[in-house]
Amino acid sequence: MTIALERIRTLSQQSGRSTPAPSHIPNPSPHRPPSQTVEDLRRLLRVRAPARIAHAAAHVDRTLPGDEIAPGLRLIETVLPCDPLPKTLCGVFDRRDTHIPTDNVLFFDTETTGLAGGTGTRAFMIGIAQWRSTGPHIGLHLRQWLMTTLSAERDLLTAFAETLSSDTILTSYNGKSYDAPLLATRFRLARMHNPLAGLDHIDLLYPTRRRYKGRWDNCRLATIERQVLGVVREDDLPGSEAPAAWLSYLRGGSARNLCRVADHNRQDLASLGGLLVHHAMIDRG
């Protein structure tokens, strides 16, 4: 027994640790509850308590306009009043020998995750507008589909495709070079038929450049609508900031900037309608 105790004492000394008697262990202070100790540690480590994180998240406004029509896909519908239109518009501005049936015109515009295009770029919002002279939507009927989850892309593409028919006349601003090819890529990656293929397409950028190039600094839609249509946007979110607004929402952020993206898209569609009529009326003489 003596040898064993001596051996334990030797090992303890070699490790540099002492073995105090149980009576020497101090009792926790009765004036310092464990919860206070945890708070002190969080303060030292600068870590917020989970309750505070939840409280902060509860005050983030995540409200989006429209109705959810499929998991992660919202539909925003708007009807803008407009003056009565003729059944057809002069197509000379687009170098056409025939007139343009107004009932067949479908304006479209996308909001995407990047401006460079390519297979990694998605359209998280597709907006369309159509003139309606009868039925419940007299005026310019706008529909905007907004993805709030990545898994809703197929439903987004399906909803857009269902609005197209063989006599649809697509109308856009730089859509031949950007929006249409991007959507064609997304349809292909989703293994879906591309409904835009073969459809008539009026790209208003080209007649606008022919008519106004050199008159102002550029021919961006925001410039043309201000100078030609007299449209001045208020609190407009630039298109270059749309990807960040959508990604921020997906990560739990506020919906404020994403709502501004929807407003920007809606104004783009309305301006397309005004610009098409503007060109047609000038050439009609």
Side-chain angles (χ1 to χ4, degrees):
M1 178 65 73
T2 303
I3 296 173
L5 290 174
E6 186 66 27
R7 178 61 176 165
I8 293 173
R9 188 178 295 112
T10 301
L11 290 173
S12 178
Q13 291 174 352
Q14 290 177 350
S15 63
R17 294 176 295 180
S18 60
T19 310
S23 60
H24 294 159
I25 299 175
N27 292 323
S29 171
H31 304 293
R32 193 172 182 80
S35 60
Q36 184 177 347
T37 304
V38 172
E39 285 299 322
D40 289 343
L41 287 173
R42 285 200 178 107
R43 192 159 38 250
L44 288 172
L45 296 173
R46 297 181 181 178
V47 176
R48 291 191 301 173
R52 293 180 183 174
I53 297 174
H55 179 73
H59 287 75
V60 174
D61 185 3
R62 305 259 305 158
T63 306
L64 290 170
D67 301 306
E68 188 169 61
I69 59 172
L73 181 65
R74 302 187 71 83
L75 171 62
I76 308 167
E77 291 191 271
T78 311
V79 179
L80 301 178
C82 64
D83 295 332
L85 293 169
K87 290 292 185 180
T88 61
L89 292 172
C90 178
V92 172
F93 72 92
D94 197 41
R95 297 175 175 174
R96 294 168 178 254
D97 297 328
T98 59
H99 281 61
I100 302 167
T102 51
D103 286 344
N104 294 353
V105 172
L106 184 143
F107 304 101
F108 79 106
D109 185 48
T110 64
E111 303 299 333
T112 67
T113 58
L115 300 178
T119 57
T121 304
R122 299 170 183 262
F124 65 83
M125 172 179 280
I126 301 176
I128 69 168
Q130 294 169 288
W131 283 310
R132 291 290 177 259
S133 56
T134 59
H137 302 300
I138 297 178
L140 188 64
H141 179 205
L142 285 75
R143 281 172 282 178
Q144 298 166 285
W145 293 275
L146 170 63
M147 288 197 314
T148 57
T149 62
L150 291 172
S151 60
E153 183 178 34
R154 190 177 184 87
D155 289 325
L156 169 77
L157 296 174
T158 299
F160 172 62
E162 289 175 349
T163 66
L164 306 176
S165 60
S166 59
D167 59 356
T168 294
I169 303 175
L170 298 170
T171 308
S172 65
Y173 202 84
N174 198 34
K176 283 186 177 180
S177 298
Y178 184 75
D179 302 83
L182 184 144
L183 289 173
T185 298
R186 300 317 303 177
F187 277 109
R188 183 172 65 254
L189 292 176
R191 297 184 178 180
M192 299 171 63
H193 167 70
N194 176 18
L196 286 75
L199 293 183
D200 195 2
H201 190 161
I202 300 173
D203 193 328
L204 292 171
L205 172 62
Y206 303 121
T208 300
R209 278 180 175 168
R210 287 194 294 269
R211 180 161 283 158
Y212 295 115
K213 185 177 181 180
R215 185 175 299 188
W216 298 295
D217 292 341
N218 55 62
C219 286
R220 293 174 55 229
L221 181 58
T223 301
I224 297 301
E225 68 181 8
R226 182 174 64 252
Q227 301 291 349
V228 175
L229 305 178
V231 173
V232 179
R233 303 195 187 204
E234 297 180 2
D235 191 34
D236 182 60
L237 188 75
S240 60
E241 297 183 24
W246 185 66
L247 291 174
S248 174
Y249 181 83
L250 290 192
R251 294 165 181 163
S254 169
R256 180 178 180 275
N257 279 346
L258 193 52
C259 291
R260 293 172 67 197
V261 171
D263 292 341
H264 175 93
N265 182 265
R266 182 166 54 250
Q267 183 57 61
D268 281 352
L269 294 168
S271 293
L272 290 178
L275 189 57
L276 175 59
V277 172
H278 169 77
H279 282 304
M281 292 304 178
I282 288 179
D283 288 329
R284 188 183 65 173

